[in-house]
Amino acid sequence: MTWKTIIIEDEQLARQRLKRLLANYAEVEIIAEAENGAQGLELINQHQPDLIFLDIEMPILNGFEMLAKLKENLPKVVFTTAYDQYAIKAFEEGSIDYLLKPIELERLDKTIAKLKQTNLAKPAIAIEDLLLQIKGKTTSKTLTVKLGDRILLIKFEDIVHIQAEDKYVFLHATDGKKHLTDYTLSTLEDKLPEDFLRIHRSDIINTNHITEIRRGFNGALIFVMSNGSKVSSSRSNSESLRARFEI
């Protein structure tokens, strides 16, 4: 039998490497590739694959967030990750495996052998059970940004202000650096903890980094941040912001 397979990985070079390695196995039929979790979710619902190779740290939706949105026709999952802090080894006892990047053919051999011993139509560990086991352990506390061929992990606590400029979204960090991210502000609103507050259609601030609040023009509020930046609220948000900060 062959396994209809989708690769979900945001790095093009990593996708190409994995695709090249998987060409060694006649059982694996790659039917689609996705570069983020949202695209992966769409392709899974469209093609209903038997198997997916899933990166964890990705823009828009990370691997775990994507899995949480799958309701039915759940495929077998092999995680691929450059980071070992997710303790994926805890799930090797079941039919779900993990591969640490850079993926080597010898390690992939073991994954394929394991999959051959497993009934792909009925995973030994349901995705729901997996999510329950990882809850509280792998909840993201960082945002990913790309810098050339590197992926940086920016801690929530190190983000002062997030700003949309034209079609781009930038993270302003405590070290004064400005990072381009693939996330939209709407996605970040859902992803970030309650310490982050959207005060304008173009701005989200980390309330832990507010040093001063000033009254602005036409009832707007001006938030002075710990990095010295000044961020103005929209007039429409002013009333709720005054209530929140009791001013």
Side-chain angles (χ1 to χ4, degrees):
M1 65 174 292
T2 59
W3 308 324
K4 293 190 300 180
T5 303
I6 294 177
I7 297 173
I8 306 171
E9 160 69 58
D10 68 326
E11 289 293 323
Q12 183 179 4
L13 291 178
R15 289 199 307 273
Q16 291 174 344
R17 175 182 175 83
L18 181 55
K19 189 175 181 179
R20 185 170 65 252
L21 292 175
L22 289 172
N24 291 285
Y25 306 98
E27 299 87 353
V28 179
E29 177 191 359
I30 300 174
I31 59 172
E33 300 174 39
E35 60 184 22
N36 58 59
Q39 191 179 83
L41 186 65
E42 181 179 347
L43 289 173
I44 290 171
N45 289 330
Q46 178 183 349
H47 295 289
Q48 298 183 14
D50 303 306
L51 172 66
I52 61 173
F53 285 82
L54 179 62
D55 190 15
I56 295 176
E57 284 289 353
M58 294 185 293
I60 306 180
L61 292 174
N62 68 35
F64 295 131
E65 290 168 338
M66 191 208 76
L67 289 179
K69 292 181 178 294
L70 286 174
K71 304 300 182 183
E72 53 186 19
N73 299 317
L74 302 179
K76 185 73 68 187
V77 179
V78 175
F79 285 114
T80 62
T81 177
Y83 312 102
D84 59 6
Q85 73 264 34
Y86 295 101
I88 300 299
K89 289 184 179 181
F91 312 115
E92 282 194 297
E93 299 300 322
S95 61
I96 296 175
D97 204 356
Y98 87 106
L99 295 169
L100 193 63
K101 301 175 189 175
I103 299 169
E104 301 295 339
L105 186 60
E106 182 179 1
R107 179 62 181 86
L108 188 55
D109 280 340
K110 295 179 181 179
T111 298
I112 298 300
K114 187 173 185 179
L115 290 168
K116 286 180 180 179
Q117 298 172 2
T118 305
N119 178 8
L120 278 174
K122 188 176 181 180
I125 297 181
I127 296 300
E128 292 88 346
D129 294 336
L130 172 61
L131 292 171
L132 285 173
Q133 292 180 58
I134 64 175
K135 186 176 181 181
K137 297 181 181 179
T138 58
T139 300
S140 178
K141 295 182 180 179
T142 61
L143 292 179
T144 57
V145 297
K146 295 179 183 178
L147 187 62
D149 59 353
R150 295 186 295 152
I151 298 177
L152 305 181
L153 299 181
I154 310 298
K155 294 179 180 179
F156 289 162
E157 63 199 60
D158 293 333
I159 300 171
V160 177
H161 171 215
I162 303 170
Q163 185 175 39
E165 300 179 17
D166 295 324
K167 297 180 180 179
Y168 303 100
V169 175
F170 295 93
L171 310 180
H172 296 263
T174 52
D175 60 5
K177 293 181 179 178
K178 180 178 176 181
H179 302 283
L180 176 66
T181 179
D182 291 329
Y183 296 101
T184 65
L185 284 186
S186 296
T187 299
L188 288 171
E189 266 195 297
D190 295 332
K191 188 179 184 69
L192 291 166
E194 293 181 356
D195 292 337
F196 286 83
L197 183 63
R198 190 164 186 173
I199 63 170
H200 191 278
R201 62 183 298 181
S202 301
D203 299 282
I204 295 175
I205 60 173
N206 184 343
T207 57
N208 294 316
H209 286 286
I210 298 172
T211 60
E212 185 179 339
I213 303 176
R214 302 175 183 173
R215 299 182 187 278
F217 178 71
N218 252 353
L221 298 175
I222 299 173
F223 293 85
V224 182
M225 309 304 293
S226 60
N227 62 355
S229 64
K230 299 178 180 65
V231 189
S232 296
S233 70
S234 63
R235 289 173 55 190
S236 59
N237 284 336
S238 295
E239 187 175 343
S240 61
L241 290 171
R242 290 176 191 279
R244 171 160 180 163
F245 293 100
E246 299 181 351
I247 56 177

